[in-house]
């Protein structure tokens, strides 16, 4: 079958694809065997190293509290960074220089600094100039660093998503008399959200993973930090790394699956129904454009 984007592979191309697939799976199997053999040689596959994960103590004492801290920090960062990024992204599209330029400076500044440095600076700030307790300070620092960095990245995602829309959308809105804020709220943003969703979800996955940086430098007791304590107690670093990696994979898979479902739902809900706007609908959107602007008399007659 031939489409406008590509030609259907012929017999030679099909044979080449089969050969490439066979070679790929052979190399993958070889790599898996190499990993298995190396772990078996170092006695990392012994049941004693994996048995703790079948008991509740390892989960209730180490992994689940660390997972709870990870999810708490990630959720707070997401809730704050998403609207903040949207505000700065829209501000960068403003016609007013006094709005556009400061927003651009803030976004470029925080986007250029590594998120780990932002966490360290935030930790020092809360230590020196606030009354945040020692126990709560790592959480505050991690959330602050994640918000500042990811809000600046999301601002660029929002700006790019809006600019990617056809220019005719804005021109059509202007033609029917909508103001710029109405155009942004009613026309552009609803369409841009669906287009931006994959990039937004990718950044949310980054937020979940970047919570681990707080455990490296400022002692935040997230999942990876709790894994280190567990590995020191049970003496199973490799097994603990594998289990934590699986947990991260499951978390991010759930997040991306939910985003895919939401994207499909949004696309279905935004399909045109063929409805035609009535005069009352137009008047509700923009009363000035329908209340006699083009009329010659008080009643708006031509």
């Amino acid at each position: 079958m031939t489409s406008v984007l590509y030609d259907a592979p012929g017999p030679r191309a099909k044979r080449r694809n089969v050969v490439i697939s066979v070679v790929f799976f052979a190399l993958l199997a070889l790599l898996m065997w190499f990993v298995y053999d190396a772990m078996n040689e170092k006695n990392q596959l012994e049941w004693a190293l994996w048995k703790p994960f079948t008991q509740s103590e390892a989960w209730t004492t180490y992994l689940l509290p660390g997972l709870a801290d990870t999810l708490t920090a990630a959720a707070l960062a997401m809730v704050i960074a998403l609207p903040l990024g949207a505000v700065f992204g829209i501000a960068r599209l403003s016609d007013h220089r006094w709005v556009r330029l400061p927003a651009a400076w803030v976004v470029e500044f925080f986007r250029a600094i590594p998120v780990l440095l932002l966490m360290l600076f935030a930790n020092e700030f809360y230590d020196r100039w606030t009354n945040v307790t020692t126990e709560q300070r790592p959480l505050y620092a991690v959330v602050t660093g994640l918000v500042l960095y990811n809000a600046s990245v999301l601002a660029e995602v929002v700006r790019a998503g809006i600019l990617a829309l056809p220019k005719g959308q804005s021109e059509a809105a202007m033609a029917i008399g909508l103001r710029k804020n109405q155009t942004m709220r009613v026309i552009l943003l609803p369409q841009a959200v669906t287009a931006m969703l994959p990039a937004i979800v990718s950044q949310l996955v980054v937020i979940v993973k970047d919570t681990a940086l707080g455990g490296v430098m400022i002692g935040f007791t997230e999942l990876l930090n709790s894994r280190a304590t567990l590995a020191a107690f049970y003496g199973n670093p490799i097994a603990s790394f594998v289990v934590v990696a699986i947990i991260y994979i499951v978390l991010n898979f759930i997040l991306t699956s939910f985003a895919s479902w939401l994207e499909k739902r949004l696309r279905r809900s935004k399909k045109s129904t063929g409805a035609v706007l009535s005069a009352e609908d137009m008047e509700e959107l923009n009363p000035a454009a329908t209340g006699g602007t083009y009329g010659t008399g008080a009643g708006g007659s031509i």
Side-chain angles (χ1 to χ4, degrees):
M1 180 178 179
T2 302
S3 74
V4 296
L5 298 179
Y6 64 93
D7 292 330
R12 293 182 58 185
K14 289 181 179 179
R15 287 194 298 269
R16 183 171 62 248
N17 292 339
V18 170
V19 171
I20 293 174
S21 299
V22 170
V23 171
F24 171 78
F25 284 110
L27 292 176
L28 181 61
L30 184 63
L31 177 62
M32 294 178 65
W33 170 255
F34 174 79
V35 172
Y36 172 83
D37 185 63
M39 293 182 65
N40 188 47
E41 184 179 355
K42 299 295 183 179
N43 299 320
Q44 292 298 321
L45 298 179
E46 292 183 358
W47 175 241
L49 299 178
W50 299 85
K51 185 179 179 180
F53 300 107
T54 64
Q55 303 171 351
S56 62
E57 182 181 359
W59 292 91
T60 57
T61 306
Y62 302 102
L63 295 181
L64 291 182
L67 178 60
D69 287 344
T70 293
L71 294 178
T72 300
L76 289 173
M78 290 177 190
V79 170
I80 300 173
L82 278 172
L84 192 62
V87 169
F88 276 98
I90 295 173
R92 293 202 63 180
L93 299 173
S94 174
D95 293 332
H96 305 288
R97 288 172 58 88
W98 60 272
V99 175
R100 184 175 65 253
L101 292 182
W105 294 336
V106 170
V107 168
E108 294 300 332
F109 177 78
F110 287 111
R111 197 173 57 149
I113 301 178
V115 65
L116 181 57
L117 285 181
L118 291 175
M119 291 180 184
L120 292 173
F121 290 149
N123 189 58
E124 287 298 317
F125 172 81
Y126 289 122
D127 182 29
R128 295 175 183 270
W129 291 292
T130 69
N131 295 323
V132 178
T133 63
T134 305
E135 292 78 13
Q136 292 295 323
R137 192 188 310 143
L139 174 63
Y140 278 60
V142 168
V143 173
T144 301
L146 290 175
V147 166
L148 293 177
Y149 177 77
N150 289 282
S152 62
V153 175
L154 289 170
E156 288 298 280
V157 172
V158 171
R159 185 174 72 93
I162 294 174
L163 291 177
L165 294 175
K167 191 176 180 180
Q169 300 284 340
S170 300
E171 294 174 348
M174 293 174 59
I176 62 175
L178 294 183
R179 295 186 297 273
K180 185 169 183 179
N181 64 337
Q182 291 177 312
T183 303
M184 183 67 68
R185 186 179 69 254
V186 180
I187 306 296
L188 300 182
L189 272 181
Q191 297 182 73
V193 165
T194 305
M196 294 185 298
L197 201 55
I200 291 176
V201 173
S202 297
Q203 202 59 36
L204 297 184
V205 170
V206 171
I207 290 177
V208 173
K209 294 188 294 184
D210 280 353
T211 56
L213 297 175
V216 175
M217 297 295 293
I218 59 179
F220 179 52
T221 55
E222 43 74 44
L223 182 58
L224 201 59
N225 188 301
S226 300
R227 179 223 61 84
T229 309
L230 181 147
F233 183 78
Y234 290 107
N236 56 352
I238 301 299
S240 61
F241 272 124
V242 172
V243 171
V244 168
I246 293 174
I247 294 175
Y248 274 114
I249 291 172
V250 171
L251 279 178
N252 293 326
F253 177 77
I254 293 173
L255 186 60
T256 53
S257 298
F258 172 75
S260 299
W261 171 83
L262 182 60
E263 182 182 5
K264 292 177 182 178
R265 185 177 179 86
L266 288 175
R267 290 187 184 278
R268 287 198 303 265
S269 64
K270 290 178 181 179
K271 287 182 178 179
S272 174
T273 60
V276 179
L277 290 178
S278 64
E280 290 78 8
D281 295 329
M282 288 298 300
E283 185 173 0
E284 183 179 352
L285 284 174
N286 192 6
T290 59
T293 305
Y294 301 101
T296 57
S301 57
I302 301 300

